[in-house]
Amino acid sequence: MKSIADRNLIRQYLLGRLDVQGELEEQLSDSILNVEMIDVVDSVEDEIIEEYVSGSLNAEHKRAVEKYFLRPPQRQEQLRFAQLLEHYLETRASHYSATNGDNLHIPWLSQFRTYGAFVASALVIIATLVYVNNVRLGREHLAKELAKERAHSSNLAAQAESVQPSIVSLTLVADRSRSPEAPIPQIDLQSSTQRVVVEIALLHSGSRPYYVRLENKAGEATMWSANLLPIISSAGDARLVFDVPALTFQSATYSFVVSSTSATGVSTKHYDFQVKGAR
Amino acid sequence: MVLRGTSRALTAEAFGKFLRWLSEDDEKAVLEYQSIRAKLVRYFIHKACSDPDDLFDKTIDVVVGKIDTLEEYSSPLAYCFGVAKNIWRQDLRERKPASLENKVAVPTHPDPQIHEQELKCLEHCMDKLSASDRDVLVQYHQEQGHDKIELRKQLADGLGGVNALRIRMCRIRRHLRLCVAACLDQSAN
């Protein structure tokens, strides 16, 4: 199970590849403004810029970067800085290659070896005395700090319990025919869960539409259905990404049935999963 | 301090009321204003708007225009965010397809003097980084092709995984960017 911090979902959002009228887009735009998400979102932005600078983006994502992602001047400046830094480090790499201290050369050091040994011994004695004294004084202070820290931690734990994600992710990779004996994926829905974000890895890449429907295990009832286009990554992997209201589910076993039509006929795959704790 | 949003057709009285709505305390009101500004500009950047600062100003214009009716709203941020969403929708409707091919950034600043100063500032800021941050940054950018991938894998292993490395790099870059911007400001004054 993945959380809203799913980097790929954030990437799709930042590249403008989610439906702007969709609930998933709206929820993402709200939740990634949270303070705790800043580093994750910024690092995804950096990653996009880095791949753009290195030329490793596929044509589709490159177009999304140029026509959408780089519209704000702040991002254009970020791109320029990334290029400047890359260029700077390429040309000055040798300047920083000895920063670990192993190669430091200090020509005057040999003249002070004798005095150095004496001074070092004196320093060790003084430091030991200071240390013993500090340990005695510091123990009491540490005990107080520890008690304070424990109180703070238990407070944070209580806060963390009260904050539950409104989105739960479900990743489906193997369909029923590929692993009939394998345990099926499971999701736990909390009372706060509003949407289930589903990602289905497809065996064959291609931009043809897929018909997806949600059925109960017996295949007697269809609870939800949609026609969807796959997302294809730069490596050629194809996935379907969509979201379903959490209220659709009860604690039971379900299956997403994915159908597509090609020249060779209609292909249908069943992706089973189990829902627990639904309202 | 100049507060954006004050330059439009707003009365000083209405804007004063807006600040009072944020907090009775002057200092807290300004801090709250800056916090709302940072969040909303960030929202407009995430939405890839071509002028996030201007859209923030428009949002504040709308909010200040309604200030006399807002006493019942206890969360200024939530209210401003709601207005910002409407401003974004309006912007989306009016958005023209723009090609940025000609605007895509180049590393060298067009003004050679500024470029020179920028490099000096970058050097200065690199020196101010902690030794461990500088090592991570330099190693991250070292080598080419397969060697680069291997080096980054080793770095990631040492830092607790790929995502930990990405976040560390992001923080270092952000720190450097802000340091260079402050250094350039200082040298311009």
Side-chain angles (χ1 to χ4, degrees):
Chain A
M1 196 197 307
K2 292 182 291 179
S3 69
I4 189 69
D6 180 341
R7 296 180 66 89
N8 189 51
L9 205 56
I10 295 171
R11 186 185 171 101
Q12 300 298 333
Y13 168 70
L14 295 176
L15 286 173
R17 291 169 59 81
L18 298 181
D19 174 14
V20 290
Q21 308 295 341
E23 280 188 47
L24 178 59
E25 208 267 2
E26 170 121 10
Q27 287 193 357
L28 258 176
S29 72
D30 291 1
S31 54
I32 67 172
L33 285 173
N34 290 339
V35 175
E36 64 269 26
M37 292 295 291
I38 286 179
D39 275 344
V40 178
V41 178
D42 284 0
S43 70
V44 175
E45 279 193 349
D46 268 11
E47 199 183 351
I48 293 170
I49 289 174
E50 197 181 313
E51 288 175 27
Y52 181 75
V53 171
S54 68
S56 60
L57 285 177
N58 66 20
E60 207 175 330
H61 282 195
K62 184 170 179 277
R63 207 166 36 247
V65 168
E66 287 173 353
K67 291 199 183 288
Y68 180 85
F69 180 84
L70 284 175
R71 287 174 64 98
Q74 290 89 337
R75 280 185 177 155
Q76 291 172 28
E77 184 49 34
Q78 228 173 310
L79 168 67
R80 202 180 69 78
F81 185 79
Q83 290 174 315
L84 180 78
L85 184 63
E86 177 93 25
H87 176 70
Y88 176 83
L89 288 171
E90 271 173 15
T91 52
R92 303 283 183 99
S94 58
H95 181 68
Y96 294 104
S97 58
T99 52
N100 58 15
D102 293 344
N103 303 326
L104 286 179
H105 176 61
I106 307 171
W108 45 265
L109 188 62
S110 57
Q111 299 170 24
F112 291 91
R113 269 183 194 153
T114 315
Y115 287 121
F118 174 75
V119 171
S121 308
L123 282 176
V124 167
I125 293 167
I126 293 167
T128 308
L129 290 172
V130 170
Y131 173 74
V132 169
N133 194 37
N134 281 348
V135 166
R136 192 172 54 79
L137 293 172
R139 215 170 259 169
E140 206 176 308
H141 176 69
L142 278 175
K144 278 183 192 165
E145 286 293 310
L146 190 62
K148 216 189 283 176
E149 206 46 52
R150 275 187 187 144
H152 181 60
S153 301
S154 60
N155 193 20
L156 279 180
Q159 281 178 24
E161 272 175 24
S162 65
V163 179
Q164 293 177 336
S166 61
I167 294 179
V168 164
S169 294
L170 169 67
T171 301
L172 300 167
V173 178
D175 70 291
R176 198 183 287 167
S177 67
R178 287 172 67 195
S179 53
E181 303 303 324
I184 60 172
Q186 237 179 46
I187 51 170
D188 289 316
L189 302 186
Q190 309 289 331
S191 56
S192 60
T193 311
Q194 292 179 12
R195 317 283 303 173
V196 176
V197 179
V198 186
E199 183 176 333
I200 299 178
L202 300 171
L203 269 181
H204 305 288
S205 59
S207 53
R208 61 181 183 273
Y210 288 79
Y211 176 62
V212 182
R213 65 179 196 276
L214 173 69
E215 6 180 89
N216 58 7
K217 195 177 182 202
E220 293 159 345
T222 298
M223 269 79 75
W224 176 94
S225 65
N227 279 305
L228 300 165
L229 283 171
I231 292 170
I232 300 165
S233 76
S234 52
D237 303 321
R239 285 164 304 128
L240 291 170
V241 181
F242 54 95
D243 64 299
V244 181
L247 283 172
T248 314
F249 300 98
Q250 294 178 341
S251 290
T253 302
Y254 292 90
S255 188
F256 276 113
V257 185
V258 178
S259 313
S260 68
T261 313
S262 64
T264 52
V266 178
S267 144
T268 301
K269 307 267 182 208
H270 289 74
Y271 295 85
D272 300 327
F273 62 99
Q274 195 175 13
V275 177
K276 284 189 168 178
R279 284 166 282 176
Chain B
M1 180 187 307
V2 177
L3 299 179
R4 286 186 70 99
T6 55
S7 58
R8 303 194 169 226
L10 298 173
T11 64
E13 189 197 354
F15 194 73
K17 276 187 187 173
F18 170 71
L19 288 177
R20 286 289 74 76
W21 181 50
L22 298 183
S23 175
E24 284 300 317
D25 180 275
D26 283 353
E27 204 174 325
K28 279 185 189 162
V30 170
L31 288 176
E32 181 67 13
Y33 177 87
Q34 287 173 330
S35 162
I36 291 174
R37 178 171 193 280
K39 282 191 174 145
L40 296 194
V41 168
R42 198 172 163 77
Y43 169 74
F44 290 127
I45 292 174
H46 287 166
K47 294 289 192 186
C49 302
S50 55
D51 196 345
D53 290 324
D54 183 55
L55 295 184
F56 168 75
D57 285 349
K58 283 180 179 164
T59 304
I60 296 301
D61 283 356
V62 172
V63 177
V64 173
K66 293 179 177 173
I67 193 64
D68 287 329
T69 63
L70 299 182
E71 274 176 17
E72 64 190 275
Y73 292 95
S74 57
S75 171
L77 173 62
Y79 187 82
C80 291
F81 193 38
V83 174
K85 283 182 178 176
N86 288 334
I87 295 284
W88 165 69
R89 285 190 194 104
Q90 193 184 329
D91 179 69
L92 191 67
R93 282 195 295 271
E94 292 165 2
R95 198 177 281 189
K96 289 172 192 153
S99 174
L100 294 156
E101 278 152 23
N102 298 331
K103 285 166 77 180
V104 168
V106 286
T108 311
H109 197 283
D111 183 335
Q113 276 187 331
I114 296 181
H115 177 62
E116 182 95 353
Q117 187 56 39
E118 208 167 34
L119 287 175
K120 275 185 194 164
C121 283
L122 186 52
E123 188 147 20
H124 162 75
C125 293
M126 284 287 291
D127 289 342
K128 281 178 75 180
L129 283 180
S130 70
S132 62
D133 276 354
R134 194 165 47 241
D135 278 350
V136 170
L137 180 69
V138 170
Q139 286 189 58
Y140 189 86
H141 285 273
Q142 266 175 5
E143 307 296 347
Q144 293 296 325
H146 183 258
D147 290 344
K148 189 174 217 154
I149 294 170
E150 279 305 310
L151 190 58
R152 287 188 181 179
K153 266 187 197 164
Q154 286 172 20
L155 264 178
D157 289 345
L159 293 171
V162 178
N163 286 346
L165 172 63
R166 283 171 178 153
I167 288 175
R168 174 87 177 263
M169 280 301 301
C170 171
R171 285 178 181 161
I172 299 171
R173 283 198 199 104
R174 188 195 297 145
H175 181 79
L176 265 182
R177 210 166 51 233
L178 294 175
C179 175
V180 169
C183 170
L184 284 172
D185 271 356
Q186 211 171 13
S187 61
N189 293 327

